[in-house]
Amino acid sequence: MYAGPGVKTSPDFPIPDTMKAWVLGNPGELTLTRKPVPVPKRAEVLVRIDAVAICATDLEIIDHGSPALIQGGKPFNRNFTPGHEYMGTVVALGPGVDEYRIGQRITVEIHAGCGQCKRCREGMYTACLNYGLNYGDVDKGHRANGFTTDGGFCEYQVNNLNTLVAIPDTMSDEEATLVVTAGTAMYGLTELGGLVAGESVVVTGPGPIGLLGIAVAKAMGAQPVILTGTRDNRLAIGRELGADHVVNVRNEDAVEAVRRLNGGKGVDYVIECSGAPNAVNEAIRMVNRGGKVCLAAFPHQETPVDVAHIVRNNIYLFGIRGEGKSATHRAEAFMSQKRFDATKIHTHTFALDDLPTAIRYAKDRVDDAIKVVVKAKGVAAHRVAAE
Ligand SMILES: [Zn+2]
Ligand SMILES: [Zn+2]
């Protein structure tokens, strides 16, 4: 019978001893197997995973390993379960936990920093100095489910209280999986200074973070908000999420278009979400002197950057990792107040057993897929109208 020292459970939510879990073998190789249901320790709860979204970073981890770090190495053949953008129901409480109740719906952010290093103490727990040091005699207690500890492509997972975000019943499971994506955009805006009301913002790249970056910037009162990209269907969703202008960079020069749309001037902020090779050089020319650029995507190659232009114009560059400084809670507040409809980027839902198909849809953008969600409770595959 499922139990652990001091762990509280409820007969309303019976917990099995084992669960379905996808495990990463060699690169690109996922196998559905069974694992013991994990047991929460102090300051942790057990989450029954009700829905999990597939992220571009999952695809990166499954094929190439990084940025996952399991027992100090690549995540292959280590009985590792990926997946990190999940939500669910609290079904067991670790010893002493009274901050959440059994039956409560929550979504999660990813990083539970060690809590003791300099960066964690500054609120930058996604840049924890003890990242991945959670095994053997170097265990610092760091967890990043789906990166350095088991993630969400399974039925249950333990989460530190720090990673939980309570959600209202009016928020669907699918929408709740998108809170962490909006939280990443919110973290980018937080690092840029946070007060963007009345200021001009460009988002480059209409992927999930870019599209929700548009929504968050607009909800925070930015004006104008401009989205650049190459796919008209995604630019159209950006408009629905609040972009004042969209630019298809296949048709016109991105820098010239941004300056034209902003009255001949550069903008105050750029959030770079495309990872395109020329993206940084374009971003530093889209901003005004003294402007700020947040880099939220990573290109696969090293790219030359015009440093002289950055120095001469006092431009600030910020790299962000994940969703620090409790940005996820602020993003959830916008979503639960219906300040924007994040579900516009959710396109497909599959059953947990169909994860490989779901991944193929996300990776190859089959049927214009953007956010693909997997649900544990056997649902038939379906496409969600993005309109
Ligand atoms: Zn992600
Ligand atoms: Zn830390």
Side-chain angles (χ1 to χ4, degrees), residues 341-379:
D341 181 6
T343 64
K344 287 184 185 298
I345 69 167
H346 166 233
T347 53
H348 296 76
T349 300
F350 291 91
L352 178 64
D353 290 6
D354 296 329
L355 181 67
T357 310
I359 285 175
R360 185 169 60 78
Y361 270 64
K363 187 191 259 176
D364 301 338
R365 298 173 183 178
V366 176
D367 192 20
D368 288 333
I370 304 179
K371 264 298 184 194
V372 179
V373 170
V374 169
K375 295 197 82 168
K377 281 171 267 168
V379 288

Side-chain angles (χ1 to χ4, degrees), residues 142-173:
H142 173 273
R143 285 189 75 94
N145 285 1
F147 289 86
T148 72
T149 42
D150 269 354
F153 294 144
C154 58
E155 292 180 293
Y156 295 89
Q157 201 46 268
V158 287
N159 270 83
N160 190 289
L161 291 179
N162 290 346
T163 64
L164 302 181
V165 184
I167 52 167
D169 287 341
T170 49
M171 188 181 286
S172 70
D173 291 356

Side-chain angles (χ1 to χ4, degrees), residues 299-372:
H300 279 271
Q301 288 88 33
E302 287 189 24
T303 50
V305 171
D306 187 349
V307 176
H309 183 85
I310 295 171
V311 175
R312 282 191 202 111
N313 293 289
N314 206 131
I315 289 165
Y316 299 87
L317 285 187
F318 297 77
I320 60 155
R321 170 71 192 270
E323 62 305 307
K325 296 195 178 161
S326 297
T328 304
H329 291 260
R330 295 192 290 286
E332 191 279 335
F334 274 154
M335 288 168 65
S336 59
Q337 292 173 75
K338 307 283 182 207
R339 297 288 294 275
F340 56 84
D341 181 6
T343 64
K344 287 184 185 298
I345 69 167
H346 166 233
T347 53
H348 296 76
T349 300
F350 291 91
L352 178 64
D353 290 6
D354 296 329
L355 181 67
T357 310
I359 285 175
R360 185 169 60 78
Y361 270 64
K363 187 191 259 176
D364 301 338
R365 298 173 183 178
V366 176
D367 192 20
D368 288 333
I370 304 179
K371 264 298 184 194
V372 179

Side-chain angles (χ1 to χ4, degrees), residues 72-101:
K74 291 213 169 188
F76 305 116
N77 297 307
R78 291 179 192 263
N79 199 33
F80 166 64
T81 297
H84 58 270
E85 298 185 355
Y86 59 91
M87 60 74 60
T89 306
V90 173
V91 292
L93 307 175
V97 170
D98 59 5
E99 291 85 347
Y100 290 84
R101 58 180 170 74

Side-chain angles (χ1 to χ4, degrees), residues 4 9-10 34 48 71 81 83 119-120 165-166 192 207 211 214 218 254 277 280 283 306 311 316 328-329 338 341 344:
T9 57
S10 159
R34 291 199 77 83
R48 184 191 72 199
Q71 293 167 358
T81 297
R119 293 292 174 252
C120 281
V165 184
L192 292 175
L211 287 169
I214 290 287
K218 203 63 203 171
V280 177
D306 187 349
V311 175
Y316 299 87
T328 304
H329 291 260
K338 307 283 182 207
D341 181 6
K344 287 184 185 298

Side-chain angles (χ1 to χ4, degrees), residues 29-347:
E29 196 182 276
L30 285 168
T31 310
L32 185 58
T33 176
R34 291 199 77 83
K35 281 188 180 182
V37 175
V39 177
K41 301 201 210 60
R42 204 184 67 81
E44 291 177 345
V45 302
L46 182 70
V47 176
R48 184 191 72 199
I49 298 168
D50 296 329
V52 51
I54 296 169
C55 172
T57 311
D58 292 319
L59 310 177
E60 190 69 23
I61 289 169
I62 290 165
D63 286 343
H64 303 287
S66 178
L69 190 65
I70 300 295
Q71 293 167 358
K74 291 213 169 188
F76 305 116
N77 297 307
R78 291 179 192 263
N79 199 33
F80 166 64
T81 297
H84 58 270
E85 298 185 355
Y86 59 91
M87 60 74 60
T89 306
V90 173
V91 292
L93 307 175
V97 170
D98 59 5
E99 291 85 347
Y100 290 84
R101 58 180 170 74
I102 292 176
Q104 188 167 2
R105 292 173 75 239
I106 50 87
T107 190
V108 304
E109 55 181 286
I110 298 145
H111 300 258
C114 74
Q116 63 200 28
C117 77
K118 182 177 178 179
R119 293 292 174 252
C120 281
R121 299 275 291 159
E122 291 169 341
M124 294 177 66
Y125 45 87
T126 63
C128 174
L129 301 177
N130 289 317
Y131 184 85
L133 296 182
N134 50 19
Y135 60 97
D137 58 7
V138 296
D139 190 355
K140 305 288 185 189
H142 173 273
R143 285 189 75 94
N145 285 1
F147 289 86
T148 72
T149 42
D150 269 354
F153 294 144
C154 58
E155 292 180 293
Y156 295 89
Q157 201 46 268
V158 287
N159 270 83
N160 190 289
L161 291 179
N162 290 346
T163 64
L164 302 181
V165 184
I167 52 167
D169 287 341
T170 49
M171 188 181 286
S172 70
D173 291 356
E174 288 81 354
E175 183 175 12
T177 66
L178 303 170
V179 168
V180 73
T181 309
T184 302
M186 177 68 84
Y187 182 43
L189 285 160
T190 302
E191 292 300 89
L192 292 175
L195 293 170
V196 296
E199 309 222 284
S200 43
V201 175
V202 168
V203 175
T204 52
I209 294 173
L211 287 169
L212 293 189
I214 290 287
V216 172
K218 203 63 203 171
M220 292 171 80
Q223 167 84 30
V225 175
I226 303 168
L227 174 65
T228 69
T230 58
R231 288 166 172 255
D232 283 329
N233 65 316
R234 292 196 175 199
L235 293 173
I237 295 171
R239 264 201 185 281
E240 290 177 32
L241 285 167
D244 297 295
H245 308 283
V246 297
V247 177
N248 188 324
V249 301
R250 290 224 166 99
N251 304 336
E252 52 184 328
D253 180 87
V255 175
E256 276 174 28
V258 162
R259 289 185 166 265
R260 174 174 56 75
L261 293 166
N262 195 43
K265 305 188 302 285
V267 294
D268 298 308
Y269 305 100
V270 172
I271 306 176
E272 205 301 285
C273 302
S274 75
N278 58 346
V280 177
N281 281 330
E282 287 191 354
I284 62 177
R285 286 177 170 77
M286 286 175 184
V287 287
N288 263 329
R289 303 192 78 199
K292 295 181 179 177
V293 176
C294 171
L295 305 174
F298 45 89
H300 279 271
Q301 288 88 33
E302 287 189 24
T303 50
V305 171
D306 187 349
V307 176
H309 183 85
I310 295 171
V311 175
R312 282 191 202 111
N313 293 289
N314 206 131
I315 289 165
Y316 299 87
L317 285 187
F318 297 77
I320 60 155
R321 170 71 192 270
E323 62 305 307
K325 296 195 178 161
S326 297
T328 304
H329 291 260
R330 295 192 290 286
E332 191 279 335
F334 274 154
M335 288 168 65
S336 59
Q337 292 173 75
K338 307 283 182 207
R339 297 288 294 275
F340 56 84
D341 181 6
T343 64
K344 287 184 185 298
I345 69 167
H346 166 233
T347 53

